[in-house]
Amino acid sequence: MRQFLTITAVCVGLAALTPAYAGDKVWISLGDAALAQLQKHRPAARAVASVKADAAQDASALSFAARPEGIHLVEVDEDALASLSHSIHEELRRCGGYMYHPTQEAGLASLKRHSTPAASQQLAAALVATRPSYTIDQQAVVTPILSQMQASNIGQTIVDLSANINRYYTSTSGVAASNWLKQKWTTLGGGRSDITVEQFTHSGWAQKSVIATIQGTDNGSEVIVMGAHLDSINQSGGSGETMRAPGADDDASGVASLTEVLRALVQANYKPRRTIKLMAYAAEEVGLRGSQEIANSFAAANTNVVGVLQLDMTNYKGAANDIYIFTDYTDSAQNTFLTNVIATYLPTLRVGTDRCGYACSDHASWNAKGFFASMPFESSFSADNPYIHSANDTYANMGSQADHALKFARMAAAYAVELGSDGPGTQPPTDKTENFSGSLTRGQSKSFGPFKVANGGSLAASTTGTGDMDLYVRKSAVPTTSNYSCKSDGSTATEGCSVNMTANGDVYVLVYGYSAGNYQLKVTYRPQ
Ligand code: BES
Ligand code: ZN
C-alpha cells in the first residue's frame, strides 16, 4: 500500500499541467517504456529523434549504472500527458518522468548531448565552468555556523510557505509566495550591500523564481548555486486557483533549508570569495521549466557556475540512511565531494545512494547544460514521503518538526562555505597515475605503496592481464586477502576498485594471483 501510495503521489504530478497550455503541443523526451505507453494511447505519437540505449547515458554518471533505456523526442498534445502519466503508473508500476522542452530545437539539442559520452564531455568542455579543488579545510568557519542552525527556523518557514492554498506556478497564491520569499530573503540579508535578492521573470507564466546573491569578495565570477523549488502541485488537479497543495515537504522543506543557510551565513557575517546564489525555482512541478530557463540563461551568458546543489524534499526520513545522494543526472566528482563534506561535518549521519531514473528535479536542468550538479535526497527513491502532490503534504504529517531538514541545511551550509572560500585560480589538484606490471604464480601476491592520497581525493586501482588476478586496496596498511578497504576478485585478470579519502592518508594496493598470470596494474590517485 505504501509503495502504491508513493508511486501515485510521485507520478501523477506529471499529469497536472496548466490549463493555460491546454490544447498546446509540447516537446518531451522520454524512455522506451514510456514511449510505448504513450503510443498505446496516442498511436499517432512518433519519435522525431531517438538515442539508442547503450549510447544514452550521462557522461557524468558513467561510473554508476548506465541508463538502461533509449531516449526519444516526441511532440504531444499537452493534455496527452495526463493519460500518459496515469497509464505508466497503472501499467508499468513506476514513474513516468519526462523532460519538457520549449522547442523542437531544444529537445534535439538535449538528445544530442546525451547521444555519446564524448559529445556530453565536449559540451562540458565548451562551458567555462571551472572544476573546483574540493579540498575540505574550512573547519574553523563551518563548525560554528552549523552549531547555531536550528530546526525550528526551518519549521517556521515550512509553515509559512505551506499556509498558501497552493504555490502553483500560474496561481495568485503561487505569485504571492514568490513575493513573500523575496521579502523574507531580503530581510535576512540584513541590509548588507554584498547581498541582493531579485526575482527572475519567466515569459510563459506568472510565478517568478527568487534569487538571493551573496557577491564573492575576490573570486566573484565563480558562482555556486543552491536551489530548491518554490512551486507546488496537487496531483488530483482542480483549478490552479483553488487546488489545495501545501507542498510542505515538496518542496517548502528545500526552500526552508536554504533559508536557514542564508540566515546562518549572515549571522556569522560570512563573506564568501566565490559568489553564492540561492534559488527558489518557479514551475518545477510542470517539467522543470523555471530552472531550465535559468540554467539556459546562465549557460548562454557563459557564467562560470562551478557547483550546483539541489534540495528537493528534505524533511521526511523514509529509509535507514539519513541522506541519499542521487547518482543520475548529477556529477560524480561533486557527489564524492559532498559525501566527504558530510563525513567531515556530520559524521553521525548515514549516507546512501539511489537514482530517480529520470529527470526528477531541477538539478537535471543544470546537468543538461554541463554544470556539476548534486541532488541529496530525504530517503531512498521508493520510500519517500507518500503525501507529496496531495493536500496531505503538510507539516503536521511530518510530525510538525524539521529535524531531518536540518541535516540537509547543515550539509548545504558546509558545502557553501567549503566551495565559497576558494580564491581565484585555485587549480584543481591533478590526479597522478602510476603503472606497474609483472607476473605472479598461483597463490603469490605483490603489494604496492604507500600512495600518499589527499583528503577529499580518491585512489582507483585497476588491473588487466592474463590468468586470474585479484585486487585489494587498503587504507593505512598493506591489504591481505581477508583485510582490505575494497577488493575486486572476479574470475579474470580484469579488476578495479577504489577508495575515497576523508583525511590525508596512506593507501596500499595488493595484487594476488588466484591463478598464475601476468598483470598490468594502474593506480590513479590525488596526491597530498
Ligand atoms: N520532488 C519531486 C521529485 C521526487 C519525488 C524525487 C519523489 C524523488 C522522489 C519533484 O517535485 C517532482 O514531482 N518531479 C516530477 C517530475 C518533473 C519533471 C515534473 C516527478 O517526479 O514526477
Ligand atoms: Zn513534486
Side-chain angles (χ1 to χ4, degrees), residues 429-488:
T430 38
D431 283 357
K432 185 172 169 184
T433 297
E434 294 182 39
N435 290 295
F436 310 88
S437 60
S439 57
L440 294 171
T441 56
R442 179 188 167 91
Q444 191 188 11
S445 62
K446 182 165 170 63
S447 69
F448 304 85
F451 303 96
K452 299 202 159 298
V453 188
N455 180 19
S458 62
L459 177 144
S462 61
T463 54
T464 54
T466 60
D468 179 359
M469 299 292 146
D470 293 340
L471 182 62
Y472 298 82
V473 175
R474 186 177 177 191
K475 293 183 189 177
S476 308
V478 176
T480 67
T481 52
S482 55
N483 220 332
Y484 47 81
S485 306
C486 91
K487 76 166 171 180
S488 174

Side-chain angles (χ1 to χ4, degrees), residues 92-409:
L92 300 182
R93 311 295 291 171
R94 71 162 173 84
C95 287
Y98 65 91
M99 190 139 185
Y100 165 90
H101 307 286
T103 60
Q104 182 175 12
E105 289 65 41
L108 286 170
S110 164
L111 235 61
K112 202 171 159 199
R113 279 193 299 275
H114 287 301
S115 63
T116 62
S120 184
Q121 265 152 12
Q122 264 166 24
L123 179 89
L127 280 170
V128 290
T130 303
R131 177 66 79 177
S133 70
Y134 296 140
T135 50
I136 296 179
D137 53 12
Q138 296 298 311
Q139 277 86 349
V141 181
V142 173
T143 305
I145 290 176
L146 301 198
S147 71
Q148 52 92 9
M149 294 176 75
Q150 281 175 28
S152 58
N153 293 326
I154 300 174
Q156 187 59 53
T157 307
I158 295 176
V159 166
D160 290 343
L161 281 169
S162 53
N164 291 285
I165 181 162
N166 64 59
R167 299 185 303 282
Y168 196 54
Y169 76 124
T170 55
S171 77
T172 309
S173 52
V175 170
S178 169
N179 295 337
W180 178 85
L181 187 67
K182 183 193 170 190
Q183 190 50 51
K184 170 105 188 168
W185 282 2
T186 304
T187 304
L188 285 176
R192 258 170 62 171
S193 60
D194 59 335
I195 301 183
T196 48
V197 183
E198 68 215 318
Q199 284 169 313
F200 187 106
T201 304
H202 300 282
S203 45
W205 63 89
Q207 185 182 55
K208 296 173 182 175
S209 298
V210 182
I211 304 180
T213 303
I214 312 178
Q215 180 62 38
T217 52
D218 63 343
N219 194 15
S221 65
E222 297 189 4
V223 177
I224 300 149
V225 170
M226 299 197 294
H229 69 89
L230 178 61
D231 66 319
S232 69
I233 199 165
N234 186 319
Q235 65 189 38
S236 318
S239 150
E241 284 297 312
T242 56
M243 71 161 69
R244 180 63 183 131
D249 193 24
D250 187 12
D251 180 30
S253 67
V255 175
S257 302
L258 293 183
T259 302
E260 179 62 358
V261 174
L262 178 61
R263 191 197 66 75
L265 294 181
V266 173
Q267 183 177 320
N269 201 26
Y270 175 63
K271 304 258 170 75
R273 301 184 72 178
R274 288 186 169 123
T275 295
I276 297 175
K277 284 182 182 280
L278 306 189
M279 301 195 177
Y281 306 110
E284 187 271 352
E285 297 285 11
V286 290
L288 318 179
R289 296 186 199 183
S291 59
Q292 216 179 125
E293 283 196 10
I294 294 174
N296 290 358
S297 83
F298 276 60
N302 270 346
T303 303
N304 192 0
V305 176
V306 303
V308 177
L309 187 71
Q310 174 73 0
L311 298 185
D312 185 358
M313 298 168 63
T314 63
N315 200 36
Y316 176 89
K317 188 175 187 300
N321 293 315
D322 296 289
I323 297 178
Y324 287 80
I325 294 181
F326 281 0
T327 57
D328 56 346
Y329 300 88
T330 58
D331 178 75
S332 70
Q334 184 177 264
N335 288 343
T336 300
F337 166 63
L338 195 60
T339 308
N340 291 335
V341 165
I342 299 167
T344 304
Y345 291 111
L346 303 163
T348 59
L349 298 191
R350 296 167 63 172
V351 180
T353 59
D354 205 351
R355 316 169 78 235
C356 261
Y358 60 97
C360 66
S361 189
D362 300 302
H363 57 291
S365 297
W366 294 96
N367 175 263
K369 285 287 165 189
F371 295 113
F372 314 129
S374 295
M375 162 82 168
F377 190 67
E378 66 184 11
S379 78
S380 60
F381 178 73
S382 61
D384 72 306
N385 189 331
Y387 296 121
I388 66 165
H389 301 174
S390 82
N392 295 322
D393 182 5
T394 60
Y395 191 52
N397 279 336
M398 298 187 291
S400 298
Q401 49 77 38
D403 296 346
H404 201 52
L406 179 62
K407 303 166 193 169
F408 288 77

